[in-house]
Every structure is written in C-alpha cells, then in structure tokens.
Coordinates of all heavy atoms in Angstrom, one line a residue:
M94 N 20.2 15.6 -193.3 CA 21.0 16.1 -192.2 C 22.2 15.2 -192.0 O 22.0 14.0 -191.8 CB 20.1 16.2 -191.0 CG 20.9 16.5 -189.7 SD 19.8 16.6 -188.3 CE 20.1 14.9 -187.6
A95 N 23.4 15.7 -192.1 CA 24.6 14.9 -191.9 C 24.9 14.8 -190.4 O 24.4 15.6 -189.6 CB 25.7 15.6 -192.6
T96 N 25.6 13.8 -190.1 CA 26.0 13.5 -188.7 C 27.0 14.6 -188.2 O 27.9 15.0 -188.9 CB 26.7 12.2 -188.6 OG1 25.7 11.2 -189.0 CG2 27.2 11.9 -187.2
S97 N 26.8 15.1 -187.0 CA 27.6 16.2 -186.5 C 28.9 15.6 -185.9 O 28.9 14.5 -185.4 CB 26.9 17.0 -185.5 OG 26.7 16.3 -184.3
E98 N 29.9 16.5 -185.8 CA 31.2 16.1 -185.2 C 31.0 15.8 -183.7 O 31.6 14.9 -183.2 CB 32.2 17.2 -185.5 CG 33.6 16.8 -185.0 CD 34.2 15.6 -185.8 OE1 33.9 15.4 -187.0 OE2 35.0 14.8 -185.1
D99 N 30.1 16.6 -183.1 CA 29.9 16.4 -181.7 C 29.2 15.1 -181.4 O 29.6 14.4 -180.4 CB 28.9 17.5 -181.1 CG 29.6 18.9 -181.0 OD1 30.9 18.9 -181.0 OD2 28.9 19.9 -180.9
Y100 N 28.3 14.7 -182.3 CA 27.7 13.4 -182.1 C 28.7 12.2 -182.3 O 28.7 11.3 -181.5 CB 26.5 13.2 -183.1 CG 25.7 12.0 -182.8 CD1 24.8 11.9 -181.7 CD2 25.8 10.8 -183.6 CE1 24.1 10.8 -181.5 CE2 25.1 9.7 -183.3 CZ 24.2 9.7 -182.3 OH 23.5 8.5 -182.0
M101 N 29.6 12.4 -183.3 CA 30.6 11.4 -183.5 C 31.6 11.3 -182.2 O 32.0 10.2 -181.9 CB 31.4 11.7 -184.7 CG 30.7 11.3 -186.0 SD 30.0 9.6 -186.0 CE 31.4 8.6 -185.7
E102 N 31.9 12.4 -181.6 CA 32.7 12.4 -180.4 C 32.0 11.6 -179.3 O 32.6 10.8 -178.6 CB 33.0 13.8 -180.0 CG 34.0 14.5 -180.8 CD 35.4 13.9 -180.9 OE1 35.8 13.4 -179.8 OE2 36.0 14.0 -181.9
F103 N 30.7 11.8 -179.2 CA 29.9 11.1 -178.2 C 29.9 9.6 -178.5 O 30.1 8.8 -177.6 CB 28.4 11.7 -178.2 CG 27.5 10.9 -177.3 CD1 27.7 11.0 -175.9 CD2 26.5 10.1 -177.8 CE1 26.8 10.2 -175.0 CE2 25.7 9.4 -177.0 CZ 25.8 9.5 -175.6
V104 N 29.6 9.2 -179.7 CA 29.6 7.8 -180.1 C 30.9 7.1 -179.8 O 31.0 6.1 -179.1 CB 29.3 7.6 -181.6 CG1 29.5 6.2 -182.0 CG2 27.8 8.1 -181.9
C105 N 32.0 7.8 -180.2 CA 33.3 7.2 -179.9 C 33.6 7.1 -178.4 O 34.2 6.2 -177.9 CB 34.4 7.9 -180.6 SG 34.3 7.7 -182.4
G106 N 33.1 8.1 -177.6 CA 33.3 8.1 -176.2 C 32.5 6.9 -175.6 O 33.0 6.4 -174.6
Q107 N 31.4 6.6 -176.1 CA 30.6 5.5 -175.6 C 31.3 4.2 -175.8 O 31.0 3.2 -175.1 CB 29.2 5.5 -176.2 CG 28.3 6.6 -175.8 CD 27.9 6.6 -174.3 OE1 28.6 7.1 -173.5 NE2 26.9 5.9 -174.0
L108 N 32.2 4.1 -176.7 CA 32.9 2.9 -177.1 C 34.2 2.8 -176.3 O 35.0 1.8 -176.5 CB 33.2 2.8 -178.6 CG 31.9 2.7 -179.4 CD1 32.2 2.9 -180.9 CD2 31.3 1.3 -179.2
A109 N 34.5 3.8 -175.5 CA 35.8 3.7 -174.7 C 35.9 2.4 -173.9 O 35.0 2.0 -173.3 CB 35.9 4.9 -173.8
G110 N 37.1 1.8 -174.1 CA 37.3 0.5 -173.4 C 37.0 -0.7 -174.2 O 37.3 -1.8 -173.8
A111 N 36.4 -0.5 -175.4 CA 36.0 -1.6 -176.2 C 37.1 -2.1 -177.1 O 36.9 -3.1 -177.8 CB 34.7 -1.2 -177.1
G112 N 38.2 -1.3 -177.2 CA 39.3 -1.7 -178.1 C 39.7 -0.4 -178.8 O 39.3 0.7 -178.4
A113 N 40.5 -0.6 -179.8 CA 41.0 0.6 -180.6 C 39.8 1.1 -181.5 O 39.4 0.4 -182.4 CB 42.1 0.2 -181.5
V114 N 39.3 2.3 -181.2 CA 38.2 2.9 -181.9 C 38.6 4.0 -182.8 O 39.5 4.8 -182.5 CB 37.2 3.5 -180.9 CG1 36.0 4.1 -181.6 CG2 36.6 2.4 -179.9
R115 N 38.2 3.9 -184.1 CA 38.4 5.0 -185.0 C 37.2 5.1 -185.9 O 36.3 4.2 -186.0 CB 39.7 4.7 -185.8 CG 39.6 3.6 -186.8 CD 40.9 3.4 -187.6 NE 40.8 2.2 -188.5 CZ 40.4 2.2 -189.7 NH1 40.0 3.4 -190.3 NH2 40.4 1.1 -190.4
R116 N 37.1 6.3 -186.6 CA 36.0 6.5 -187.5 C 36.5 7.0 -188.8 O 37.6 7.5 -188.9 CB 35.1 7.5 -186.9 CG 35.7 8.9 -186.7 CD 34.7 9.8 -186.1 NE 35.3 11.1 -185.9 CZ 35.6 11.7 -184.7 NH1 35.4 11.0 -183.6 NH2 36.1 12.9 -184.7
R117 N 35.7 6.7 -189.8 CA 36.1 7.1 -191.2 C 34.9 7.6 -191.9 O 33.8 7.0 -191.8 CB 36.6 5.8 -191.9 CG 37.0 6.1 -193.3 CD 37.7 4.9 -194.0 NE 37.9 5.2 -195.3 CZ 38.0 4.3 -196.3 NH1 37.8 3.1 -196.0 NH2 38.3 4.7 -197.5
K118 N 35.1 8.8 -192.5 CA 34.0 9.4 -193.2 C 33.8 8.6 -194.5 O 34.7 8.4 -195.3 CB 34.2 10.9 -193.4 CG 33.0 11.7 -193.7 CD 33.3 13.1 -193.5 CE 31.9 13.8 -193.5 NZ 31.9 15.1 -193.0
I119 N 32.5 8.2 -194.8 CA 32.2 7.6 -196.0 C 30.9 8.1 -196.5 O 29.9 8.2 -195.8 CB 32.1 6.0 -195.9 CG1 31.1 5.6 -194.8 CG2 33.5 5.4 -195.7 CD1 30.8 4.1 -194.8
F120 N 30.8 8.5 -197.8 CA 29.6 9.0 -198.4 C 29.0 10.1 -197.6 O 27.7 10.2 -197.5 CB 28.6 7.9 -198.6 CG 29.2 6.7 -199.4 CD1 29.3 5.5 -198.8 CD2 29.7 6.9 -200.7 CE1 29.9 4.4 -199.5 CE2 30.2 5.8 -201.4 CZ 30.3 4.6 -200.8
G121 N 29.7 10.9 -196.9 CA 29.2 12.0 -196.1 C 28.8 11.6 -194.7 O 28.4 12.5 -193.9
E122 N 28.8 10.4 -194.4 CA 28.5 9.9 -193.0 C 29.7 9.1 -192.5 O 30.8 9.3 -193.0 CB 27.3 9.0 -193.1 CG 26.0 9.8 -193.5 CD 25.5 10.8 -192.5 OE1 26.1 10.9 -191.4 OE2 24.6 11.6 -192.8
Y123 N 29.5 8.2 -191.5 CA 30.7 7.6 -190.8 C 30.5 6.1 -190.7 O 29.4 5.6 -190.4 CB 30.9 8.2 -189.4 CG 31.3 9.7 -189.5 CD1 30.3 10.7 -189.5 CD2 32.6 10.0 -189.5 CE1 30.7 12.0 -189.5 CE2 33.0 11.3 -189.5 CZ 32.1 12.3 -189.5 OH 32.5 13.6 -189.5
M124 N 31.7 5.4 -190.8 CA 31.8 4.0 -190.3 C 32.7 4.1 -189.1 O 33.7 4.8 -189.1 CB 32.4 3.2 -191.4 CG 32.6 1.7 -191.0 SD 31.1 0.8 -190.8 CE 30.5 0.7 -192.4
V125 N 32.3 3.3 -188.0 CA 33.0 3.3 -186.8 C 33.7 1.9 -186.8 O 33.0 0.9 -186.9 CB 32.2 3.5 -185.6 CG1 33.0 3.4 -184.3 CG2 31.5 4.9 -185.6
Y126 N 35.0 1.9 -186.6 CA 35.8 0.7 -186.5 C 36.2 0.4 -185.1 O 36.6 1.3 -184.4 CB 37.0 0.8 -187.4 CG 36.7 0.9 -188.9 CD1 36.4 2.2 -189.4 CD2 36.8 -0.1 -189.7 CE1 36.1 2.4 -190.7 CE2 36.6 0.0 -191.1 CZ 36.2 1.3 -191.6 OH 36.0 1.4 -192.9
V127 N 36.2 -0.9 -184.7 CA 36.7 -1.3 -183.4 C 37.7 -2.4 -183.7 O 37.4 -3.4 -184.4 CB 35.6 -1.8 -182.4 CG1 36.3 -2.3 -181.2 CG2 34.6 -0.7 -182.1
N128 N 39.0 -2.1 -183.3 CA 40.1 -3.0 -183.7 C 40.1 -3.3 -185.2 O 40.3 -4.4 -185.6 CB 40.0 -4.4 -182.9 CG 40.0 -4.1 -181.4 OD1 40.7 -3.2 -180.9 ND2 39.3 -4.9 -180.6
D129 N 40.0 -2.2 -185.9 CA 40.0 -2.2 -187.4 C 38.9 -2.9 -188.1 O 38.9 -3.1 -189.3 CB 41.4 -2.7 -187.9 CG 42.5 -1.7 -187.6 OD1 42.3 -0.5 -187.6 OD2 43.6 -2.2 -187.3
K130 N 37.9 -3.3 -187.3 CA 36.7 -4.0 -187.9 C 35.5 -3.1 -188.0 O 35.2 -2.4 -187.0 CB 36.4 -5.2 -187.1 CG 37.5 -6.3 -187.1 CD 37.1 -7.4 -186.2 CE 38.2 -8.5 -186.3 NZ 37.9 -9.7 -185.5
P131 N 34.9 -3.0 -189.2 CA 33.7 -2.0 -189.3 C 32.5 -2.6 -188.6 O 31.9 -3.5 -189.0 CB 33.5 -2.0 -190.8 CG 34.0 -3.3 -191.3 CD 35.1 -3.7 -190.4
L132 N 32.1 -1.9 -187.4 CA 31.0 -2.5 -186.6 C 29.8 -1.6 -186.7 O 28.7 -2.1 -186.6 CB 31.5 -2.6 -185.2 CG 32.6 -3.6 -184.9 CD1 32.8 -3.8 -183.4 CD2 32.4 -4.9 -185.6
L133 N 29.9 -0.3 -186.7 CA 28.8 0.6 -186.6 C 28.8 1.6 -187.8 O 29.8 2.1 -188.2 CB 28.8 1.4 -185.3 CG 29.0 0.6 -184.0 CD1 29.1 1.6 -182.8 CD2 27.8 -0.3 -183.8
L134 N 27.6 1.9 -188.2 CA 27.4 2.9 -189.3 C 26.6 4.0 -188.6 O 25.6 3.8 -187.9 CB 26.5 2.2 -190.4 CG 26.3 3.1 -191.6 CD1 27.5 3.5 -192.3 CD2 25.4 2.3 -192.6
V135 N 27.1 5.2 -188.8 CA 26.4 6.4 -188.2 C 26.0 7.3 -189.3 O 26.8 7.8 -190.1 CB 27.4 7.1 -187.2 CG1 26.6 8.3 -186.6 CG2 27.9 6.2 -186.2
C136 N 24.6 7.5 -189.4 CA 24.0 8.3 -190.4 C 23.0 9.2 -189.8 O 22.2 8.7 -189.0 CB 23.4 7.5 -191.5 SG 24.5 6.3 -192.4
D137 N 23.0 10.5 -190.1 CA 22.0 11.4 -189.6 C 21.9 11.4 -188.1 O 20.8 11.3 -187.5 CB 20.6 11.2 -190.2 CG 20.7 11.5 -191.7 OD1 21.4 12.4 -192.1 OD2 19.9 10.9 -192.5
N138 N 23.0 11.3 -187.4 CA 23.1 11.3 -185.9 C 22.3 10.1 -185.3 O 21.7 10.2 -184.3 CB 22.6 12.6 -185.3 CG 23.5 13.7 -185.5 OD1 24.7 13.5 -185.7 ND2 23.1 14.9 -185.3
T139 N 22.4 9.0 -186.1 CA 21.8 7.7 -185.6 C 22.8 6.6 -185.8 O 23.4 6.6 -186.9 CB 20.5 7.4 -186.4 OG1 19.6 8.5 -186.3 CG2 19.8 6.2 -185.9
V140 N 22.9 5.7 -184.8 CA 23.8 4.6 -184.9 C 23.1 3.3 -185.4 O 22.1 3.0 -184.8 CB 24.5 4.3 -183.6 CG1 25.5 3.2 -183.7 CG2 25.2 5.6 -183.1
F141 N 23.6 2.8 -186.5 CA 23.0 1.6 -187.1 C 24.0 0.4 -186.9 O 25.2 0.5 -187.0 CB 22.8 1.8 -188.6 CG 21.7 2.8 -188.8 CD1 22.1 4.2 -189.0 CD2 20.4 2.5 -188.9 CE1 21.1 5.1 -189.3 CE2 19.4 3.5 -189.2 CZ 19.8 4.8 -189.4
V142 N 23.3 -0.8 -186.8 CA 24.1 -2.1 -186.7 C 23.4 -3.0 -187.6 O 22.2 -3.1 -187.7 CB 24.0 -2.6 -185.2 CG1 24.8 -4.0 -185.2 CG2 24.6 -1.7 -184.2
K143 N 24.2 -3.8 -188.4 CA 23.7 -4.7 -189.3 C 22.9 -5.8 -188.6 O 23.2 -6.2 -187.5 CB 24.9 -5.4 -190.0 CG 24.6 -6.2 -191.2 CD 25.9 -6.7 -191.9 CE 25.5 -7.4 -193.2 NZ 26.8 -7.8 -193.9
I144 N 21.8 -6.2 -189.2 CA 20.9 -7.2 -188.6 C 21.5 -8.5 -188.9 O 21.7 -9.0 -190.0 CB 19.5 -7.1 -189.3 CG1 18.8 -5.8 -188.9 CG2 18.6 -8.3 -188.8 CD1 17.5 -5.6 -189.6
L145 N 21.9 -9.2 -187.8 CA 22.6 -10.5 -187.8 C 21.9 -11.4 -186.8 O 21.5 -10.9 -185.7 CB 24.1 -10.4 -187.5 CG 24.9 -9.5 -188.4 CD1 26.3 -9.3 -187.8 CD2 25.1 -10.3 -189.7
P146 N 21.9 -12.7 -187.0 CA 21.2 -13.6 -186.1 C 21.9 -13.6 -184.7 O 21.2 -13.7 -183.7 CB 21.4 -15.0 -186.7 CG 21.9 -14.8 -188.1 CD 22.4 -13.4 -188.3
E147 N 23.2 -13.3 -184.6 CA 23.9 -13.3 -183.4 C 23.4 -12.2 -182.5 O 23.6 -12.2 -181.3 CB 25.4 -13.1 -183.6 CG 26.0 -14.4 -184.3 CD 26.0 -14.3 -185.8 OE1 25.3 -13.5 -186.4 OE2 26.7 -15.2 -186.4
L148 N 22.8 -11.1 -183.1 CA 22.3 -10.0 -182.3 C 20.9 -10.0 -182.0 O 20.4 -9.2 -181.2 CB 22.6 -8.7 -183.1 CG 24.1 -8.3 -183.3 CD1 24.2 -7.1 -184.2 CD2 24.7 -8.0 -182.0
S149 N 20.2 -11.0 -182.5 CA 18.7 -11.0 -182.3 C 18.3 -11.1 -180.9 O 17.3 -10.4 -180.5 CB 18.1 -12.2 -183.1 OG 18.5 -13.4 -182.7
A150 N 19.0 -11.8 -180.0 CA 18.6 -11.9 -178.6 C 18.8 -10.6 -177.9 O 17.9 -10.2 -177.0 CB 19.4 -13.0 -177.9
V151 N 19.9 -9.9 -178.1 CA 20.1 -8.6 -177.4 C 19.4 -7.4 -178.0 O 19.2 -6.4 -177.3 CB 21.6 -8.3 -177.2 CG1 22.3 -9.4 -176.4 CG2 22.3 -8.2 -178.5
L152 N 19.0 -7.5 -179.2 CA 18.3 -6.4 -179.8 C 16.9 -6.7 -180.2 O 16.3 -6.0 -181.0 CB 19.1 -5.9 -181.1 CG 20.5 -5.3 -180.8 CD1 21.2 -5.0 -182.1 CD2 20.4 -4.1 -179.9
T153 N 16.3 -7.6 -179.5 CA 14.9 -7.9 -179.6 C 14.1 -6.7 -179.3 O 14.3 -6.0 -178.3 CB 14.4 -9.1 -178.7 OG1 15.2 -10.2 -179.0 CG2 13.0 -9.4 -178.8
G154 N 13.2 -6.3 -180.2 CA 12.4 -5.2 -180.1 C 13.0 -3.9 -180.5 O 12.4 -2.8 -180.4
A155 N 14.3 -3.9 -180.9 CA 15.0 -2.7 -181.3 C 14.4 -2.2 -182.6 O 14.0 -3.0 -183.5 CB 16.5 -2.9 -181.5
E156 N 14.3 -0.9 -182.8 CA 13.8 -0.3 -184.0 C 14.7 -0.6 -185.2 O 15.9 -0.8 -185.0 CB 13.6 1.2 -183.8 CG 12.8 1.9 -184.8 CD 12.7 3.4 -184.5 OE1 12.8 3.8 -183.3 OE2 12.4 4.1 -185.5
T157 N 14.2 -0.8 -186.3 CA 15.0 -0.9 -187.5 C 14.7 0.2 -188.5 O 13.6 0.8 -188.5 CB 14.8 -2.3 -188.2 OG1 13.4 -2.4 -188.6 CG2 15.1 -3.4 -187.3
A158 N 15.6 0.5 -189.4 CA 15.4 1.5 -190.4 C 16.5 1.4 -191.4 O 17.5 0.6 -191.3 CB 15.5 2.9 -189.7
L159 N 16.3 2.1 -192.5 CA 17.3 2.1 -193.6 C 18.3 3.3 -193.2 O 17.9 4.4 -193.0 CB 16.7 2.4 -194.9 CG 15.6 1.5 -195.4 CD1 15.0 1.9 -196.7 CD2 16.2 0.1 -195.6
P160 N 19.6 2.9 -193.2 CA 20.6 4.0 -192.9 C 20.7 5.0 -194.0 O 21.1 6.2 -193.7 CB 21.9 3.2 -192.6 CG 21.7 1.9 -193.2 CD 20.2 1.6 -193.3
Y161 N 20.5 4.6 -195.2 CA 20.6 5.5 -196.3 C 19.7 4.9 -197.4 O 19.3 3.8 -197.4 CB 22.1 5.6 -196.8 CG 22.7 4.3 -197.1 CD1 22.6 3.6 -198.3 CD2 23.4 3.6 -196.0 CE1 23.2 2.4 -198.5 CE2 24.0 2.4 -196.2 CZ 23.9 1.8 -197.5 OH 24.4 0.5 -197.7
E162 N 19.3 5.8 -198.4 CA 18.4 5.4 -199.4 C 19.1 4.3 -200.2 O 20.3 4.4 -200.6 CB 18.2 6.6 -200.4 CG 17.1 6.4 -201.4 CD 16.8 7.6 -202.2 OE1 16.8 8.7 -201.6 OE2 16.5 7.4 -203.4
G163 N 18.3 3.2 -200.5 CA 18.8 2.1 -201.2 C 19.6 1.1 -200.3 O 20.0 0.0 -200.8
G164 N 19.7 1.4 -199.1 CA 20.4 0.4 -198.1 C 19.5 -0.6 -197.6 O 18.2 -0.6 -197.9
K165 N 20.0 -1.6 -196.9 CA 19.2 -2.7 -196.3 C 18.9 -2.2 -194.9 O 19.6 -1.4 -194.3 CB 20.0 -3.9 -196.2 CG 20.3 -4.5 -197.6 CD 21.1 -5.8 -197.4 CE 21.4 -6.4 -198.8 NZ 22.2 -7.6 -198.7
P166 N 17.8 -2.8 -194.3 CA 17.4 -2.4 -193.0 C 18.5 -2.8 -192.0 O 19.2 -3.8 -192.1 CB 16.1 -3.2 -192.7 CG 15.6 -3.6 -194.0 CD 16.8 -3.7 -194.9
H167 N 18.7 -2.0 -191.0 CA 19.7 -2.2 -189.9 C 18.9 -1.9 -188.6 O 17.9 -1.2 -188.5 CB 20.8 -1.2 -190.0 CG 21.8 -1.5 -191.0 ND1 21.6 -1.6 -192.4 CD2 23.2 -1.7 -190.9 CE1 22.7 -1.8 -193.0 NE2 23.7 -1.9 -192.1
Y168 N 19.5 -2.5 -187.5 CA 19.0 -2.2 -186.2 C 19.5 -0.7 -185.9 O 20.5 -0.3 -186.3 CB 19.6 -3.1 -185.1 CG 19.2 -4.5 -185.1 CD1 20.0 -5.5 -185.3 CD2 17.8 -4.8 -184.8 CE1 19.6 -6.9 -185.2 CE2 17.4 -6.1 -184.7 CZ 18.3 -7.1 -184.9 OH 17.9 -8.4 -184.9
I169 N 18.7 0.0 -185.1 CA 19.1 1.3 -184.6 C 19.6 1.0 -183.2 O 18.8 0.4 -182.3 CB 17.9 2.3 -184.5 CG1 17.5 2.6 -186.0 CG2 18.4 3.5 -183.8 CD1 16.3 3.6 -186.1
L170 N 20.8 1.3 -182.9 CA 21.5 1.0 -181.6 C 21.3 2.2 -180.7 O 21.6 3.3 -181.0 CB 23.0 0.7 -181.8 CG 23.8 0.4 -180.5 CD1 23.2 -0.9 -179.9 CD2 25.2 0.2 -180.9
D171 N 20.8 1.9 -179.5 CA 20.6 2.9 -178.4 C 22.0 3.2 -177.9 O 22.5 2.6 -176.9 CB 19.7 2.4 -177.3 CG 19.5 3.4 -176.2 OD1 20.1 4.5 -176.3 OD2 18.9 3.1 -175.2
I172 N 22.7 4.2 -178.5 CA 24.1 4.4 -178.1 C 24.2 5.0 -176.7 O 25.3 4.9 -176.1 CB 24.7 5.4 -179.2 CG1 26.3 5.4 -179.1 CG2 24.1 6.8 -179.1 CD1 27.0 4.1 -179.4
E173 N 23.2 5.5 -176.2 CA 23.2 6.0 -174.8 C 23.2 4.9 -173.7 O 23.6 5.1 -172.6 CB 22.1 6.9 -174.5 CG 22.2 8.2 -175.4 CD 21.1 9.2 -175.1 OE1 20.4 9.1 -174.1 OE2 20.9 10.1 -175.9
N174 N 22.8 3.7 -174.1 CA 22.8 2.5 -173.2 C 24.2 1.8 -173.3 O 24.4 1.0 -174.2 CB 21.7 1.6 -173.6 CG 21.6 0.4 -172.7 OD1 22.5 0.0 -172.0 ND2 20.5 -0.3 -172.7
R175 N 25.1 2.3 -172.5 CA 26.5 1.8 -172.6 C 26.6 0.3 -172.4 O 27.5 -0.3 -173.1 CB 27.3 2.6 -171.5 CG 28.7 2.9 -172.0 CD 29.4 3.8 -171.1 NE 30.7 4.0 -171.7 CZ 31.5 5.0 -171.5 NH1 31.1 5.9 -170.6 NH2 32.6 5.1 -172.1
E176 N 25.9 -0.3 -171.5 CA 25.9 -1.7 -171.3 C 25.5 -2.5 -172.6 O 26.2 -3.4 -173.0 CB 25.0 -2.1 -170.2 CG 25.1 -3.6 -169.8 CD 24.3 -3.9 -168.6 OE1 24.2 -3.1 -167.6 OE2 23.7 -5.0 -168.6
L177 N 24.4 -2.0 -173.2 CA 24.0 -2.6 -174.5 C 25.1 -2.4 -175.6 O 25.4 -3.4 -176.3 CB 22.7 -2.0 -175.0 CG 22.1 -2.5 -176.3 CD1 21.8 -4.0 -176.3 CD2 20.9 -1.7 -176.7
V178 N 25.7 -1.3 -175.6 CA 26.7 -1.0 -176.7 C 27.9 -2.0 -176.5 O 28.3 -2.6 -177.4 CB 27.2 0.5 -176.6 CG1 28.4 0.7 -177.5 CG2 26.0 1.4 -177.0
R179 N 28.3 -2.1 -175.2 CA 29.4 -3.1 -174.9 C 29.0 -4.5 -175.4 O 29.9 -5.2 -175.9 CB 29.8 -3.0 -173.5 CG 30.6 -1.9 -173.1 CD 31.1 -2.1 -171.6 NE 31.8 -0.9 -171.2 CZ 33.1 -0.6 -171.4 NH1 33.8 -1.5 -172.2 NH2 33.6 0.5 -171.0
T180 N 27.8 -4.9 -175.0 CA 27.4 -6.3 -175.4 C 27.4 -6.5 -176.9 O 27.9 -7.5 -177.4 CB 26.0 -6.5 -174.8 OG1 26.0 -6.4 -173.4 CG2 25.5 -7.9 -175.2
V181 N 26.9 -5.5 -177.6 CA 26.8 -5.6 -179.1 C 28.2 -5.7 -179.7 O 28.5 -6.5 -180.5 CB 26.0 -4.4 -179.7 CG1 26.2 -4.3 -181.2 CG2 24.5 -4.5 -179.4
V182 N 29.1 -4.8 -179.2 CA 30.5 -4.8 -179.6 C 31.2 -6.2 -179.3 O 31.9 -6.8 -180.1 CB 31.3 -3.7 -179.1 CG1 32.8 -3.8 -179.3 CG2 30.8 -2.3 -179.7
E183 N 30.9 -6.7 -178.1 CA 31.5 -8.0 -177.7 C 31.0 -9.1 -178.6 O 31.7 -10.1 -178.9 CB 31.2 -8.3 -176.3 CG 32.0 -7.5 -175.3 CD 31.5 -7.7 -173.8 OE1 30.6 -8.5 -173.6 OE2 32.0 -7.0 -173.0
I184 N 29.8 -9.0 -179.1 CA 29.2 -10.0 -180.0 C 29.8 -9.8 -181.4 O 30.2 -10.8 -182.1 CB 27.7 -10.0 -180.1 CG1 27.1 -10.4 -178.7 CG2 27.2 -10.8 -181.2 CD1 25.6 -10.2 -178.6
L185 N 29.8 -8.6 -181.9 CA 30.2 -8.3 -183.3 C 31.7 -8.4 -183.6 O 32.1 -8.9 -184.6 CB 29.8 -6.9 -183.7 CG 28.3 -6.7 -183.9 CD1 28.0 -5.3 -184.3 CD2 27.8 -7.6 -185.0
E186 N 32.5 -8.0 -182.6 CA 34.0 -7.9 -182.9 C 34.6 -9.2 -183.3 O 35.3 -9.3 -184.3 CB 34.7 -7.3 -181.7 CG 36.1 -6.7 -182.0 CD 37.2 -7.7 -182.0 OE1 37.1 -8.7 -181.3 OE2 38.1 -7.5 -182.7
P187 N 34.3 -10.3 -182.6 CA 34.9 -11.6 -183.0 C 34.4 -12.2 -184.3 O 35.1 -12.9 -185.0 CB 34.6 -12.6 -181.9 CG 33.9 -11.8 -180.8 CD 33.6 -10.5 -181.4
I188 N 33.2 -11.8 -184.7 CA 32.6 -12.4 -185.9 C 32.7 -11.5 -187.2 O 32.4 -12.0 -188.3 CB 31.1 -12.8 -185.7 CG1 30.2 -11.6 -185.5 CG2 31.0 -13.8 -184.6 CD1 28.7 -11.9 -185.5
T189 N 33.2 -10.3 -187.0 CA 33.3 -9.4 -188.1 C 34.7 -9.5 -188.7 O 35.7 -9.4 -188.0 CB 33.1 -8.0 -187.7 OG1 31.8 -7.9 -187.1 CG2 33.2 -7.0 -188.8
P190 N 34.8 -9.8 -190.0 CA 36.2 -9.9 -190.6 C 36.8 -8.5 -190.8 O 36.1 -7.5 -190.9 CB 35.9 -10.6 -191.9 CG 34.5 -10.2 -192.3 CD 33.8 -10.1 -190.9
L191 N 38.1 -8.5 -190.8 CA 38.8 -7.3 -191.2 C 38.5 -7.0 -192.7 O 38.4 -7.9 -193.5 CB 40.3 -7.5 -191.0 CG 40.8 -7.6 -189.6 CD1 42.3 -8.1 -189.5 CD2 40.7 -6.3 -188.9
P192 N 38.4 -5.8 -193.0 CA 38.2 -5.4 -194.4 C 39.4 -5.9 -195.3 O 40.5 -5.9 -194.8 CB 38.0 -3.9 -194.4 CG 38.3 -3.4 -193.1 CD 38.5 -4.6 -192.2
G193 N 39.1 -6.2 -196.5 CA 40.1 -6.6 -197.5 C 41.0 -5.4 -197.9 O 40.6 -4.2 -197.5
P194 N 42.0 -5.6 -198.6 CA 42.9 -4.5 -199.0 C 42.2 -3.6 -200.0 O 41.4 -4.1 -200.7 CB 44.1 -5.2 -199.6 CG 43.6 -6.6 -200.0 CD 42.5 -6.9 -199.0
G195 N 42.5 -2.3 -199.9 CA 41.9 -1.4 -200.8 C 42.3 -1.6 -202.2 O 43.3 -2.3 -202.5
K196 N 41.6 -1.0 -203.1 CA 42.0 -1.1 -204.5 C 43.1 -0.2 -204.9 O 43.2 0.9 -204.4 CB 40.8 -0.9 -205.4 CG 39.7 -1.9 -205.2 CD 38.5 -1.6 -206.2 CE 37.5 -2.7 -205.9 NZ 36.3 -2.5 -206.8

C-alpha cells in the first residue's frame, strides 16, 4: 500500500512552524525535508525516523519497524503527537547534514 496524498498533507501540516518543509517522492514513497535536510521517511502511511543515539531519550519505548524490504530498522514516529514531532525535528535538524550534490 503506497502512502496517500492526504496522509502526506497531514504529515506536512504537523510540521508547520518547524522550518521550510518539502517532500520528495522516492521509490514510490516519500522523504520529508526540513530546511533541505532529509529528516522523515514516509512509507505505507507510516512516518519513520532513523534510530540515532540522540533520539533514544525522547523515543524510548517507540515501536520500530523496517520502512521497506531490505531497509534498516527505524523508529515509528507518532505523527499525531505534535509536541513529540517538534522535539524530534529540533533534535534532528542541527545534526543532519545537507544532502550532497546529485549525480
């Protein structure tokens, strides 16, 4: 099941005020960028966040899953919890590098 356009609108709406938000379709699903940094992966109407030590305190007990076959486990982000989403973005945005130039 692919991610719906309505769900992507909801996800981007939850990120309002976090910075410049955009999304890009990749492999039939979406990467969500904040200030041009890739922070969230959205697959099958589920928001995933890379498992990083910096997030362990705020995502303790969060469910983990594979976003796609062959992928690494990621945290599943409760996108409906706006306060949690803001906290995760505040942690990730400064430590996530800008992507390199395309080929």
